[in-house]
Amino acid sequence: MMLKISDYIAAIRSALQTDVQAELVSEHARSQLLGAIEVLDKLQGLMEWSPEMLLEQSAALGSGSERLRAETRDMPEPPERAHENADVAEPEERVRGDAAHMGEWVDWLYAHRGGLDADRSRALEMLVRDVIQAALAAERRRISASDYSSMT
C-alpha cells in the first residue's frame, strides 16, 4: 500500500511528540525537537497537491492518451482504453490511473518501435514527450508559486 508523503510526515511527527519528547531532559534538546516538529508541520502542508493541479494533470494525460489512440489506430494491439476516471472521487487517484495508462503507451511504443518507420516513431515519441511535459507543467506552476520564506 502506498501512503501519501503527508501521512509519513504525520507519523514521524507523532512519534517525535509521543515517544521522543517525553525522554528529553534538556531544555535545549526539547526546543530543538519542537523546532523540528514545526518544520515537519510546514512540510506536511506543502505535500498536498491542489485538486485543481491534479485535475489539470489528469486532463493532460487523458487527452494525450486519446491523441495516441488516434495516431495508432491502424497499428496492432494498442493499449486498451483507460478505465473511465470521471467517477473517481480523489483527484490524486485519477492522476495515478492516467499516469499508469500513459506508462502503458510508453511500453507499447518501445515494444513496437522496430515496426515503425523513423518519422512515425519520432512523431509518436514527440507526442508522448509533449503529453508528459504538459502534465509536469501543471506541477511546475504550483511549485514556483510556493512560499518557502516561512521555513526559516
Side-chain angles (χ1 to χ4, degrees):
M1 182 171 146
M2 272 183 68
L3 295 175
K4 297 178 187 176
I5 292 174
S6 61
D7 293 337
Y8 287 111
I9 290 175
I12 292 168
R13 183 188 188 288
S14 176
L16 288 174
Q17 270 191 314
T18 58
D19 300 334
V20 176
Q21 190 171 6
E23 300 298 322
L24 296 177
V25 292
S26 140
E27 283 300 315
H28 176 72
R30 274 197 288 274
S31 70
Q32 293 296 308
L33 177 65
L34 291 175
I37 290 171
E38 185 177 326
V39 168
L40 287 173
D41 288 343
K42 290 176 182 177
L43 285 174
Q44 187 174 7
L46 293 172
M47 295 298 117
E48 296 294 330
W49 290 116
S50 73
E52 295 83 15
M53 185 219 49
L54 294 170
L55 293 174
E56 186 180 341
Q57 283 186 316
S58 179
L61 293 167
S63 70
S65 289
E66 289 306 312
R67 287 171 49 205
L68 281 163
R69 179 166 306 289
E71 291 293 324
T72 59
R73 65 182 163 270
D74 62 330
M75 297 189 65
E77 305 174 14
E80 291 183 22
R81 231 179 240 291
H83 300 291
E84 197 55 47
N85 277 342
D87 60 341
V88 175
E90 291 293 320
E92 197 167 318
E93 292 299 317
R94 259 193 227 186
V95 171
R96 271 198 199 114
D98 291 331
H101 188 62
M102 184 55 60
E104 292 171 12
W105 275 108
V106 170
D107 292 344
W108 178 88
L109 176 61
Y110 283 100
H112 291 83
R113 194 174 190 179
L116 298 173
D117 64 73
D119 289 338
R120 189 163 191 195
S121 177
R122 177 85 175 131
L124 291 173
E125 286 177 16
M126 294 305 289
L127 177 55
V128 167
R129 186 198 68 164
D130 291 347
V131 169
I132 293 170
Q133 282 182 337
L136 291 174
E139 237 174 73
R140 283 195 304 266
R141 280 190 295 280
R142 296 301 192 274
I143 291 170
S144 63
S146 297
D147 178 16
Y148 296 102
S149 63
S150 64
M151 295 292 290
T152 60

